[in-house]
Amino acid sequence: MLANRDDVDGRAGTDRRTVLRAAVGGTAAAGAVLTFGGSALAAPGGGGLGVRPETPQAALRELARGNQRWRSLRQRHPHENRHIRQVLVSGQRPFALILGCIDSRVPPELVFDQGLGDLMTVRSAGGVLDEAVLGSVAYGVLELDIPLVLVLGHQSCGAVAAAVHAEETGEKLPAHIQYVAEQIFPAIDHSQHGAARVDATVSANARRVRDALAAEPDLAARVAAGRLAVVAARYELRDQFVHRLG
């Protein structure tokens, strides 16, 4: 599991889900089979995606293993070959949804050493929420039954730094960047100063987004039932380590 540095439907509903899954997952490919009972994507001749983590805890463990491979330079780059690409034509079954920043240094599939079909990723500057982001997260959880949503902040986040600067100086940021900053303002840690304020706000913002997602009624119901975990984590650029935020 990710280390913690803070503490070391009726028919209409069925039809709707069928249409949504078909739209995103694609139509079935000839000769390929989706096997959900065994929690795996497979096709004739073997070489499928393997067992999908079905619980929040299993999903966290898989992300932790992948991050360990990444930071130790032992990446496997899984699920990239021609056969897997054909298997995935028939649908997707990602085991985790990562809500992260647009920063080019923090691509989730690399940070967690995962491949095609493993992760659903949603990215916005600073990981801020809006209706499109909320709808994307809800799709992954409610339609694809993803058991883990991980909000991933990161060291030296430019969006957070811009928000802190704007709040301190009163300077208006250009175009829609001001909107992003205003979503981060409530997370600014005024107990810190300078670079320490930016750094503390990165973590505070990830926690705030996590809490907002976990409070969404449809997601909260799944959390209460043990079918979903919504967690906050942080990626350190200096050592490529992802640690959970308490």
Side-chain angles (χ1 to χ4, degrees):
M1 192 170 293
L2 292 178
N4 188 335
R5 282 188 180 172
D6 290 341
D7 4 94
V8 168
D9 335 66
R11 179 179 297 177
T14 299
D15 291 344
R16 176 179 58 84
R17 283 190 290 273
T18 300
V19 170
L20 283 168
R21 286 174 181 145
V24 174
T27 56
V33 177
L34 277 177
T35 308
F36 291 144
S39 304
L41 281 167
L49 287 170
V51 176
R52 170 194 191 254
E54 292 290 343
T55 67
Q57 296 76 17
L60 280 167
R61 285 193 294 270
E62 177 56 34
L63 291 181
R65 285 192 289 264
N67 180 242
Q68 168 63 29
R69 294 193 300 270
W70 165 253
R71 66 180 191 267
S72 62
L73 300 178
R74 296 176 180 173
Q75 304 96 305
R76 296 176 181 170
H77 301 289
H79 307 150
E80 296 180 357
N81 65 37
R82 183 185 301 274
H83 177 71
I84 291 299
R85 298 180 195 192
Q86 291 303 309
V87 168
L88 288 170
V89 171
S90 58
Q92 60 174 325
R93 192 77 164 139
F95 70 86
L97 186 149
I98 311 299
L99 170 56
C101 184
I102 60 173
D103 195 295
S104 63
R105 301 167 293 179
V106 195
E109 288 84 358
L110 295 183
V111 166
F112 293 111
D113 191 29
Q114 301 299 320
L116 295 173
D118 294 327
L119 303 180
M120 179 168 282
T121 60
V122 182
R123 302 178 72 174
S124 64
V128 303
L129 298 177
D130 63 12
E131 284 301 309
V133 171
L134 284 168
S136 299
V137 173
Y139 178 86
V141 172
L142 303 179
E143 303 298 336
L144 297 182
D145 203 28
I146 291 174
L148 174 68
V149 173
L150 187 140
V151 179
L152 185 63
H154 68 91
Q155 180 185 16
S156 302
C157 179
V160 169
V164 170
H165 174 78
E167 198 254 4
E168 290 175 344
T169 64
E171 177 183 326
K172 287 288 185 181
L173 297 171
H176 301 287
I177 303 174
Q178 182 68 28
Y179 171 85
V180 172
E182 289 173 357
Q183 308 313 302
I184 297 172
F185 283 171
I188 293 176
D189 188 340
H190 293 101
S191 69
Q192 303 292 331
H193 301 277
R197 174 173 291 177
V198 174
D199 193 67
T201 300
V202 166
S203 297
N205 183 60
R207 293 189 186 99
R208 184 170 180 273
V209 171
R210 172 202 61 197
D211 293 347
L213 286 174
E216 286 290 312
D218 287 335
L219 303 190
R222 291 201 172 211
V223 172
R227 298 176 60 190
L228 172 70
V230 183
V231 305
R234 175 174 161 140
Y235 179 70
E236 304 299 342
L237 295 173
R238 70 173 68 88
D239 60 8
Q240 301 87 57
F241 182 50
V242 176
H243 57 99
R244 188 169 173 179
L245 298 172

